[in-house]
Amino acid sequence: RITEYPGSYHKLNSSEQMMEGIGKKIVRNTIYNSVGRIWLMLVNLLLIPYILHKLGVQVFAVWSLVFVVANYLGVLDFGIRTSFAKYIAEYHTKKDQNSINEVINCGIIFYLVFSLFIVILAFLLKEPIVSLLQIPSAVHDESIFAIMGMVLILSLNNTFSIFESVLVGLQRMDVQNMIMIFASIFNIAGTFFFLEKGFGLKGLVLNYGIVSFVILVLNAYSSFRLLP
């Protein structure tokens, strides 16, 4: 049958190679995702008791609340980010570079407008948010700084999150997780530096901004390297 239909053998061989490649990619991504999540868990186990000790229970509670509220504001995109990764993967398979560029440009413009809306919303609601969270007056100013700082940082992250979508769309979870692990080292060093220097809650916000910027730059650099 191979002699009679030589094309069918080549198609079968190509299909087997493709399935083997997909299998290796799944295994690789699973390993890197697992390592990344375990590493983050260990980092949190290291940092949380230290931050609690340096800030005290009251300020640590404020930091936790602000972090949660800011992150909730950051995920109001209703999952649109995942659709960018889907289309990047599809167009990459088709080798349609122009469409990939269109998706990336569309993503940046969308998140730029969306982030502007979130920042304005947070600015208008910052006092009601502080009142709703029943934050003590002793840390009122720090809390306002933390809320606005975190919203601005997360808005910047959202605007350029399209570069992370490129890595996800290309199924390069190895690169994505290596960036996350590398940035977490900055996070550890920055947390110890700012808290030891007595910057407190503001120091944690500044450190979060620095780490986010490092991730943003590395995601963008890796995206351009993988998709020139």
Side-chain angles (χ1 to χ4, degrees), residues 90-108:
E90 179 182 336
Y91 292 135
H92 179 65
T93 302
K94 297 176 180 178
K95 302 186 185 304
D96 187 350
Q97 187 68 37
N98 289 332
S99 293
I100 292 176
N101 287 332
E102 289 175 0
V103 170
I104 292 173
N105 292 333
C106 176
I108 290 175

Side-chain angles (χ1 to χ4, degrees), residues 145-215:
F145 176 88
I147 290 172
M148 292 308 302
M150 289 295 291
V151 169
L152 286 170
I153 293 167
L154 289 169
S155 295
L156 184 67
N157 288 347
N158 277 340
T159 301
F160 295 100
S161 64
I162 189 68
F163 293 116
E164 183 179 0
S165 296
V166 170
L167 300 180
V168 175
L170 299 181
Q171 292 294 298
R172 293 307 303 266
M173 277 63 175
D174 54 333
V175 177
Q176 183 189 25
N177 281 281
M178 289 304 295
I179 290 173
M180 180 193 66
I181 291 172
F182 180 75
S184 70
I185 297 173
F186 272 82
N187 183 35
I188 295 170
T191 300
F192 279 96
F193 172 80
F194 282 111
L195 292 185
E196 288 298 326
K197 293 295 182 179
F199 284 91
L201 186 59
K202 292 182 178 180
L204 290 180
V205 176
L206 292 172
N207 182 56
Y208 189 79
I210 293 171
V211 173
S212 296
F213 182 75
V214 169
I215 294 173

Side-chain angles (χ1 to χ4, degrees), residues 10 66 70 88 94 109 138 147 149 181-182 192 213 217 223 227:
H10 292 298
V66 168
I88 289 171
K94 297 176 180 178
I109 293 171
I147 290 172
I181 291 172
F182 180 75
F192 279 96
F213 182 75
V217 171
S223 297
L227 285 177

Side-chain angles (χ1 to χ4, degrees), residues 69-140:
V69 170
N71 273 280
Y72 269 117
L73 288 173
V75 298
L76 289 177
D77 65 338
F78 306 107
I80 294 176
R81 183 183 306 180
T82 57
S83 67
F84 290 125
K86 182 263 183 189
Y87 284 109
I88 289 171
E90 179 182 336
Y91 292 135
H92 179 65
T93 302
K94 297 176 180 178
K95 302 186 185 304
D96 187 350
Q97 187 68 37
N98 289 332
S99 293
I100 292 176
N101 287 332
E102 289 175 0
V103 170
I104 292 173
N105 292 333
C106 176
I108 290 175
I109 293 171
F110 167 79
Y111 277 111
L112 188 61
V113 175
F114 177 76
S115 297
L116 182 62
F117 167 75
I118 292 297
V119 170
I120 293 173
L121 182 67
F123 180 78
L124 295 175
L125 297 179
K126 62 181 186 297
E127 290 293 346
I129 290 175
V130 169
S131 299
L132 180 65
L133 297 178
Q134 298 181 352
I135 293 175
S137 57
V139 289
H140 176 273

